[in-house]
């Protein structure tokens, strides 16, 4: 009986195949063979060429491209060429829009008076530059040794970081040093006084 168990185990071990290693694109997160179906073909190709040159030569070499095209009919080739041009144009337009959006985005640092001599500093607009507001708020709390949180802004159109205390000038310098994606020209300090009830 024990011999039967060991023979079963050895046959199962012989039938087990090792796990396959799959590379995923760093741009579109698909396997490189499927990047052509996404909208970022040129960026994917550049990433693959930089990080996995052997795989890039297998997929994007002239021989591989000609082999793929040879299996298509004339109409299908024309359609594939037209589709690839369309996708490239869309990706380029999206990149241009994104660059314009970043150029026009502003980071506002406001000093808001709470009570007589109590202030908070509010930072808004960082999400446009791709930063995680909760992580930045935590870093600010550590840096200035004060309370810091992410809250909805007044118009409920987005979120902002509220830091306790008047740290607007230091905060401006900290953003310059630590958040490299935010140009200095796109930052503005504003002082906001609390309206007196009358």
């Amino acid at each position: 009986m024990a011999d039967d168990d060991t023979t079963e185990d050895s046959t199962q071990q012989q039938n087990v195949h090792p796990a396959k290693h799959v590379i995923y694109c760093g741009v579109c997160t698909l396997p490189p063979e499927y990047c052509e179906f996404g909208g970022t073909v040129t960026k994917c190709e550049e990433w693959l060429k930089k990080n996995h040159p052997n795989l890039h030569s297998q997929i994007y070499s002239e021989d591989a491209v000609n082999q793929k095209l040879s299996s298509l009919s004339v109409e299908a080739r024309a359609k594939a060429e037209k589709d690839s041009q369309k996708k490239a144009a869309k990706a380029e337009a999206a990149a241009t829009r994104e660059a314009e959006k970043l150029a026009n985005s502003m980071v506002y640092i406001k000093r808001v008076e709470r009570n007589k001599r109590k202030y908070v500093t509010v930072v808004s607009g960082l999400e446009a530059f791709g930063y995680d507001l909760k992580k930045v708020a935590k870093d600010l709390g550590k840096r200035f040794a004060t309370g810091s949180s992410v809250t909805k802004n007044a118009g409920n159109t987005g979120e902002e970081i509220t830091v306790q205390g008047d740290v607007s000038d230091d905060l401006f310098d900290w953003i310059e040093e630590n958040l490299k994606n935010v140009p200095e020209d796109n930052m503005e300090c504003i002082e906001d006084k609390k309206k007196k009830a009358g």
Side-chain angles (χ1 to χ4, degrees):
M1 185 105 165
D3 293 332
D4 291 339
D5 290 340
T6 55
T7 55
E8 281 181 29
D9 289 342
S10 63
T11 55
Q12 285 178 350
Q13 288 176 355
Q14 290 173 354
N15 292 337
V16 174
H17 298 288
K20 205 170 203 183
H21 179 69
V22 178
I23 296 171
Y24 291 99
C25 177
V27 178
C28 67
T29 67
L30 293 171
E33 297 86 15
Y34 297 100
C35 286
E36 64 186 275
F37 301 111
T40 57
V41 179
T42 52
K43 288 182 181 178
C44 293
E45 184 178 353
E46 290 168 6
W47 179 87
L48 191 63
K49 188 173 188 178
K50 180 181 171 189
N51 295 306
H52 300 282
N54 294 338
L55 189 56
H56 177 270
S57 63
Q58 288 176 2
I59 296 173
Y60 292 104
S61 68
E62 283 189 39
D63 295 335
V65 172
N66 289 336
Q67 185 180 2
K68 288 178 187 176
L69 288 176
S70 66
S71 64
L72 297 175
S73 65
V74 176
E75 295 88 18
R77 283 185 199 175
K79 186 177 179 184
E81 184 69 28
K82 190 176 177 182
D83 286 347
S84 68
Q85 288 175 352
K86 223 184 217 183
K87 283 183 181 178
K90 274 186 178 180
E92 191 174 317
T96 305
R97 278 194 308 271
E98 188 67 28
E100 286 177 10
K101 182 181 173 186
L102 279 180
N104 294 332
S105 296
M106 292 291 291
V107 173
Y108 295 104
I109 302 171
K110 294 184 210 170
R111 185 181 95 163
V112 181
E113 186 177 351
R114 285 284 225 218
N115 298 349
K116 296 179 183 177
R117 286 175 290 164
K118 306 281 184 186
Y119 294 96
V120 293
T121 306
V122 177
V123 183
S124 59
L126 283 177
E127 67 274 355
F129 293 94
Y131 289 106
D132 180 18
L133 295 183
K134 289 184 180 181
K135 185 179 181 304
V136 173
K138 187 174 182 180
D139 293 343
L140 290 174
K142 287 179 183 177
R143 166 64 179 91
F144 297 112
T146 184
S148 175
S149 63
V150 177
T151 57
K152 295 231 183 262
N153 62 8
N156 280 337
T157 55
E159 293 182 327
E160 59 192 14
I161 299 174
T162 305
V163 182
Q164 292 179 1
D166 179 12
V167 292
S168 55
D169 294 334
D170 297 332
L171 186 57
F172 189 91
D173 296 337
W174 186 87
I175 289 175
E176 260 184 350
E177 292 171 13
N178 296 307
L179 305 181
K180 302 294 184 193
N181 290 351
V182 182
E184 184 179 351
D185 299 338
N186 291 26
M187 291 193 296
E188 187 177 339
C189 282
I190 302 170
E191 186 172 339
D192 188 20
K193 294 198 173 190
K194 188 178 178 184
K195 295 178 183 175
K196 292 182 180 178

